[in-house]
Amino acid sequence: TSASDVSTLAANPIASLGGIYQDARELPAIVNVIDVFPRALANLPPTLATSLATSSRIKVRTVARPRPDSRRRVGLSFTAVGFEQLSVLGQKL
């Protein structure tokens, strides 16, 4: 994604971005899903990195509504933020 609110997360010196997804199964609500992992893991050999794998997931819920002043644009309201630990030191949770 090129959205500035998500892409600026890549500037974090501690965490790296993994997958970035959108869940739009319950419109008009959309859940942005961002997976993150410790930046140091990217510098390790793959076999070691797998055994130390630690990852988290951020979920941001947004609701879109038509803008009264435009037929082509929508207004976004951020309604919830959640954080979930997916794995710690190679153990899925």
Side-chain angles (χ1 to χ4, degrees), residues 15-28:
S16 289
L17 295 180
I20 299 173
Y21 317 94
Q22 285 189 324
D23 180 352
R25 292 178 287 182
E26 297 180 24
L27 294 174

Side-chain angles (χ1 to χ4, degrees), residues 67-89:
R67 282 186 169 186
D69 60 334
S70 175
R71 295 186 331 181
R72 298 180 185 203
R73 299 185 71 189
V74 296
L76 299 177
S77 298
F78 294 92
T79 59
V81 175
F83 181 85
E84 176 184 5
Q85 193 69 45
L86 300 177
S87 63
V88 176
L89 300 176

Side-chain angles (χ1 to χ4, degrees), residues 2-61:
S2 60
S4 63
D5 59 335
V6 175
S7 60
T8 56
L9 293 172
N12 185 323
I14 297 170
S16 289
L17 295 180
I20 299 173
Y21 317 94
Q22 285 189 324
D23 180 352
R25 292 178 287 182
E26 297 180 24
L27 294 174
I30 295 174
V31 178
N32 294 298
V33 180
I34 306 159
D35 290 341
V36 295
F37 61 93
R39 191 172 291 277
L41 288 177
N43 298 324
L44 298 175
T47 54
L48 183 57
T50 301
S51 67
L52 298 175
T54 299
S55 62
S56 305
R57 177 167 287 161
I58 302 167
K59 292 184 179 181
V60 180
R61 186 174 187 274

